[in-house]
C-alpha cells in the first residue's frame, strides 16, 4: 500500500483470519486515506502471507519494535481478544493517536477511555 501525503499511517496487530478476512479489505478500500505501513504477528507464516497478499511493506514479530520503528497514527488490533487491551495500550503509549479493536470489547473496557 503506497502512502500519500494526506493518508494516515496505520499498523495492523495480528495477521490471522480476522485481519485478512475483514480489516485488511476495509483498509484497502480506504487506501486513499489510510496506508498500512506494517503488520505484526507472533507467527511468521501469518505475517508473511498477509504482507504478501496485501502489499504491506514491513513485517514484525514484536509489537513494541513495530510501534517504535513505524510510529503509527493508528493501530488496528486484530489479535486474539485476550491481547486487545495490552496491544491497544501499547499503541497508545507509543504515540498512536488511536487504536481500533472490536467495539463490543471497547464498550466494556473503560480503562482505555479518555
Amino acid at each position: 500500500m503506497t502512502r500519500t501525503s494526506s493518508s494516515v499511517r496505520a499498523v495492523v496487530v495480528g495477521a490471522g483470519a480476522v485481519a485478512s478476512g475483514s480489516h485488511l479489505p476495509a483498509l484497502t478500500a480506504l487506501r486513499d486515506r489510510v496506508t498500512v505501513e506494517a503488520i505484526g504477528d507472533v507467527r511468521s507464516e501469518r505475517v508473511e502471507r498477509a504482507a504478501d497478499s496485501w502489499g504491506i511493506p514491513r513485517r514484525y514479530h514484536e509489537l513494541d519494535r513495530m510501534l517504535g520503528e513505524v510510529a503509527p497514527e493508528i493501530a488496528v488490533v486484530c489479535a486474539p481478544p485476550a491481547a486487545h487491551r495490552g496491544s491497544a495500550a501499547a499503541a497508545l503509549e507509543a504515540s498512536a493517536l488511536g487504536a481500533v479493536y472490536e467495539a463490543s470489547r471497547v464498550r466494556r473496557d473503560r480503562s482505555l477511555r479518555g
Side-chain angles (χ1 to χ4, degrees):
M1 296 183 174
T2 306
R3 180 165 164 68
T4 64
S5 61
S6 61
S7 65
V8 174
R9 264 185 342 278
V11 296
V12 175
V13 181
V18 171
S20 291
S22 297
H23 296 286
L24 287 168
L27 292 167
T28 299
L30 297 170
R31 69 179 152 267
D32 60 324
R33 293 181 276 170
V34 178
T35 302
V36 178
E37 298 280 341
I39 189 164
D41 196 293
V42 296
R43 294 179 59 184
S44 298
E45 68 277 2
R46 284 185 180 178
V47 172
E48 296 304 320
R49 184 171 45 245
D52 289 344
S53 294
W54 296 99
I56 302 168
R58 298 168 81 177
R59 302 137 196 246
Y60 291 88
H61 307 290
E62 297 173 22
L63 177 60
D64 290 337
R65 184 171 172 220
M66 178 172 68
L67 296 171
E69 291 181 7
V70 177
E73 295 169 284
I74 188 165
V76 179
V77 179
C78 303
H84 284 179
R85 183 174 181 213
S87 298
L92 294 171
E93 288 173 13
S95 81
L97 299 175
V100 179
Y101 60 106
E102 293 178 24
S104 60
R105 292 284 292 191
V106 172
R107 278 191 227 111
R108 287 183 264 154
D109 191 351
R110 297 174 194 262
S111 66
L112 293 176
R113 291 187 182 172

